Amino acid sequence: MGTMSYMGMVVEFDDRVLTHLQIVIMQKFRRGEAFPMSWVDAVSIGSGRSAMWLTPSTPIFFKFDGSRVPAIDPDWVDRLTRSAESPRGLIVTDASGELVHATGANHRPVALHSARN
């Protein structure tokens, strides 16, 4: 599992999913575009759905578990890009279009997470 870190949030996705998300997010950021991104939370982190607003002026960090870059599926990149361009924003799906579950335990902003402890 790889991680995406953004404004104190750490979200875990499979490396292949994360690689495709990175491509789409970086394309949007290169054009100076901000957009929402949402995903389904795994049962292990409380179920439900999460979303965040991504802006190109805020640093984002991708950490991949594996050292090899997964094969890139152009159709998947295109589907995710179209999603990111929609009013609902980037909805994380797999290559077949099924919703992907984030598995990371620290998917909440650090300030909110710390306030609960």
Side-chain angles (χ1 to χ4, degrees):
M1 288 291 162
T3 59
M4 182 179 82
S5 302
Y6 185 80
M7 294 195 65
M9 293 177 62
V10 179
V11 185
E12 282 186 6
F13 293 106
D14 174 80
D15 274 5
R16 187 155 188 255
V17 172
L18 192 61
T19 298
H20 286 77
L21 290 174
Q22 179 189 23
I23 292 167
V24 173
I25 291 168
M26 292 299 109
Q27 286 175 348
K28 297 281 285 176
F29 283 4
R30 280 189 197 111
R31 293 191 300 263
E33 299 173 357
F35 60 100
M37 176 178 149
S38 63
W39 60 90
V40 177
D41 295 322
V43 173
S44 63
I45 56 173
S47 293
R49 207 169 42 89
S50 293
M52 66 178 150
W53 183 253
L54 297 170
T55 65
S57 61
T58 303
I60 189 167
F61 179 74
F62 298 91
K63 170 72 172 117
F64 299 91
D65 190 42
S67 60
R68 293 185 181 183
V69 176
I72 304 303
D73 180 339
D75 292 334
W76 188 6
V77 170
D78 185 55
R79 188 178 311 108
L80 290 171
T81 299
R82 283 193 316 262
S83 174
E85 299 293 331
S86 76
R88 291 179 58 195
L90 177 56
I91 298 172
V92 182
T93 58
D94 65 16
S96 66
E98 296 295 317
L99 294 173
V100 169
H101 290 76
T103 59
N106 185 21
H107 70 289
R108 300 184 193 283
V110 173
L112 294 177
H113 183 70
S114 297
R116 292 180 180 193
N117 292 333

